[in-house]
Amino acid sequence: VLDVSNNLLTGNIPPEIGSLSRIELLDLSNNTLTGSIPSVLGTLVNAAVLVRGNTMITDQHNSDKISPLSVCSNVPGFDLFHDPSWCPPERNLLREFYREAKGQEWTNSTGWVDEFSSHCEWHGVECNEEGLVVSLVLGNGGLSGRISDAIGNLTSLR
């Protein structure tokens, strides 16, 4: 357990915290931490990772709020998991689609599964103003494997 919540800690979250593979609780909530959430926290698959209340945390480009894809998809105890501005659900669904359709073999997978990019910026993905996927165009793209069941949850496809 590492609980340093409700203090006046500042600065970035050190990526070295990701090496605490046996940790069950990482509570950094309610401080004044800045910078982005390190993607190495995605390795803490058995931990509750709490960062809520650090209003200065942003994405890697210091503009939007978005958590690393690995944290949103691998860490069930991440406290911002259900906040769609930090962990857009459709980004996780598309990650699963990519994995099952052997995305690493696609002819063009630009942006796909990038830790900090919006799924709306991934090759072949078109979103509406709310960030919901309305079109997925990947014809002649070298897809193989199988079509993920997750595709059924992209309910805004036209």
Side-chain angles (χ1 to χ4, degrees):
V1 173
L2 174 58
D3 181 351
V4 293
S5 63
N6 301 300
N7 284 292
L8 299 172
L9 294 173
T10 61
N12 295 332
I13 299 170
E16 292 79 8
I17 289 179
S19 65
L20 302 174
S21 59
R22 299 176 69 194
I23 198 163
E24 295 176 3
L25 172 67
L26 173 62
D27 192 347
L28 307 173
S29 61
N30 300 308
N31 281 286
T32 53
L33 298 170
T34 58
S36 60
I37 298 169
S39 58
V40 296
L41 296 187
T43 62
L44 303 179
V45 297
N46 296 314
V49 177
L50 313 176
V51 297
R52 192 176 302 277
N54 288 287
T55 57
M56 297 308 294
I57 291 179
T58 60
D59 76 355
Q60 202 172 38
H61 308 292
N62 294 323
S63 55
D64 296 323
K65 294 178 180 181
I66 195 165
S67 294
L69 181 59
S70 60
V71 176
C72 291
S73 57
N74 297 341
V75 183
F78 181 50
D79 66 342
L80 298 175
F81 176 80
H82 294 290
D83 184 332
S85 63
W86 286 98
C87 290
E90 295 202 343
R91 187 171 62 142
N92 285 343
L93 297 172
L94 289 172
R95 177 186 180 268
E96 185 64 21
F97 175 81
Y98 174 88
R99 188 183 66 75
E100 292 193 32
K102 299 184 180 180
Q104 68 279 7
E105 299 174 5
W106 295 358
T107 57
N108 187 348
S109 60
T110 303
W112 278 78
V113 300
D114 179 77
E115 284 288 335
F116 288 96
S117 71
S118 165
H119 59 287
C120 298
E121 298 170 6
W122 297 354
H123 169 75
V125 177
E126 180 186 345
C127 296
N128 62 17
E129 313 77 50
E130 291 86 36
L132 300 175
V133 178
V134 295
S135 176
L136 191 56
V137 180
L138 300 169
N140 291 320
L143 282 69
S144 61
R146 62 184 293 280
I147 298 173
S148 169
D149 297 343
I151 205 78
N153 292 314
L154 298 174
T155 56
S156 294
L157 283 173
R158 299 183 263 148

